[in-house]
Amino acid sequence: VQLQASGGGLVRPGDSLRLSCAASGGTYSAFNMGWFRQAPGKERELVATINWRGTDPSYADSVKGRFTISKDIAVDAADLQMSGLKPEDTAVYYCVAARGPYGTNRYLAEYYEHWGQGTQVTVSS
C-alpha cells in the first residue's frame, strides 16, 4: 500500500490550502487516517486524525478551529482543509494510515503503519 499526498505549496498568512491523500496498491482497507507534520529543527507532531468511518476527528491544539480533516467511509482517502494559515504551520506534512482499534493510540506515530512521502507547506509573506 502506498499513500500519495498532494496539495502542498507556498501561501501567504491567512490563506487556505487543502491537502489530499489517497491509498493505492491494495484493496479497500478501512484505514484510520491522519496527518503529521515536521518543521525544520523541530520534532514531528500530530496534526489531525480521523477514523475509517470519517468520524471522531482529533486535532492538535495548535490547529483546532483552523484545520478540518475529512474522510469518505467508502474510500481510503482523506483531506485536510487548512485555513487561517500561519507561518508556524510551515512544515512537511505526512499522510498516515493504520488499521485496527482507533483509541488513544491514534496520537502515536508508531500506530500508523503506512506513511506518505510528505508534501511541503510554506506559509510566508
Side-chain angles (χ1 to χ4, degrees), residues 1-6 20-24 33-36 44 92-98 112-119:
V1 173
Q2 294 182 331
L3 299 179
Q4 183 66 43
S6 62
S20 296
C21 175
S24 63
M33 301 187 72
W35 295 87
F36 280 75
R44 180 176 53 192
V92 177
Y93 284 69
Y94 297 92
C95 175
V96 296
Y112 296 95
E113 59 200 281
H114 302 289
W115 288 70
Q117 83 285 4
T119 184

Side-chain angles (χ1 to χ4, degrees), residues 2-92:
Q2 294 182 331
L3 299 179
Q4 183 66 43
S6 62
L10 171 63
V11 296
R12 297 185 182 277
D15 283 353
S16 297
L17 203 59
R18 189 177 187 88
L19 304 183
S20 296
C21 175
S24 63
T27 58
Y28 173 68
S29 298
F31 283 129
N32 303 312
M33 301 187 72
W35 295 87
F36 280 75
R37 68 185 181 186
Q38 186 164 23
K42 295 187 177 181
E43 293 187 356
R44 180 176 53 192
E45 65 170 345
L46 174 70
V47 178
T49 68
I50 196 164
N51 69 14
W52 68 275
R53 295 182 180 87
T55 61
D56 195 12
S58 296
Y59 298 95
D61 288 342
S62 58
V63 307
K64 282 182 180 177
R66 300 188 297 122
F67 290 13
T68 302
I69 189 170
S70 61
K71 181 187 180 298
D72 188 309
I73 189 173
V75 296
D76 288 323
D79 290 345
L80 184 69
Q81 178 66 44
M82 305 183 292
S83 60
L85 283 162
K86 305 176 181 179
E88 50 264 43
D89 294 318
T90 296
V92 177

